Amino acid sequence: MDASQLSTHTMLIVAAPITLDRSTTPPTATGGTLRVCHPWLATPTNLTPISYRHRGE
């Protein structure tokens, strides 16, 4: 499949704002409103990194 075919099988769902209760096991998330983007194509122009994590050796 090329990228144009894959995009019809990909969706992005974002829930915000949510509240995370870490006092429960496992933690539970409540609230929020869903935003659904379908189809969604993850191209470099659509993506912006907002954080990075480094794992020390």
Side-chain angles (χ1 to χ4, degrees), residues 2 12 18-19 29 35 38 43-44 53:
D2 66 20
L12 174 68
I18 60 170
T19 302
R35 179 177 174 204
H38 183 261
T43 61
R53 178 175 292 170

Side-chain angles (χ1 to χ4, degrees), residues 21-46:
D21 181 357
R22 295 175 193 236
S23 68
T24 63
T25 302
T28 56
T30 57
T33 302
L34 291 181
R35 179 177 174 204
V36 178
C37 300
H38 183 261
W40 180 70
L41 181 59
T43 61
T45 57
N46 291 336

Side-chain angles (χ1 to χ4, degrees), residues 1 6 13-16 20 29 31 34-37 51-53 55-57:
M1 275 189 232
L6 288 174
I13 301 174
V14 178
L20 183 61
L34 291 181
R35 179 177 174 204
V36 178
C37 300
S51 70
Y52 295 90
R53 178 175 292 170
R55 294 181 187 188
E57 295 178 28

